[in-house]
Amino acid sequence: MKKSTLYLLMLIMSISFFPSTMTAAASNPSNTPATAPSEVPAHVQVQLDRLKEIKAMNKSDMTSSEKKHFEKK
């Protein structure tokens, strides 16, 4: 008898907690991702340009130490 009461109590608690956490997560605006800024900062643009330059390089004739140099940056 005690086990069935315990199981019933656990079932009621789990049913009551699950919908409340689901609605709290859906209505919380802090969980939504921020919109991307329309303007990229200058230092970020410099890094993106450097990344594009490195990707455009022909790395097949480089030594392994030269390749590692680009991985660190």
Side-chain angles (χ1 to χ4, degrees):
M1 182 68 180
K2 289 185 179 186
K3 283 187 180 181
S4 62
T5 308
L6 178 65
Y7 292 142
L8 181 63
L9 182 62
M10 289 174 54
L11 176 69
I12 291 171
M13 289 180 68
S14 65
I15 291 173
S16 65
F17 288 139
F18 183 69
S20 65
T21 57
M22 292 298 290
T23 56
S27 65
N28 190 357
S30 66
N31 290 340
T32 57
T35 58
S38 60
E39 190 175 307
V40 179
H43 69 281
V44 174
Q45 188 61 43
V46 169
Q47 291 176 345
L48 289 173
D49 292 341
R50 178 67 178 145
L51 181 63
K52 288 177 186 176
E53 180 184 329
I54 290 172
K55 284 184 177 183
M57 291 175 130
N58 184 6
K59 298 179 205 86
S60 61
D61 57 347
M62 290 183 178
T63 63
S64 62
S65 61
E66 290 173 333
K67 289 179 185 178
K68 287 182 184 179
H69 175 71
F70 286 114
E71 289 177 6
K72 290 181 183 178
K73 288 186 178 185

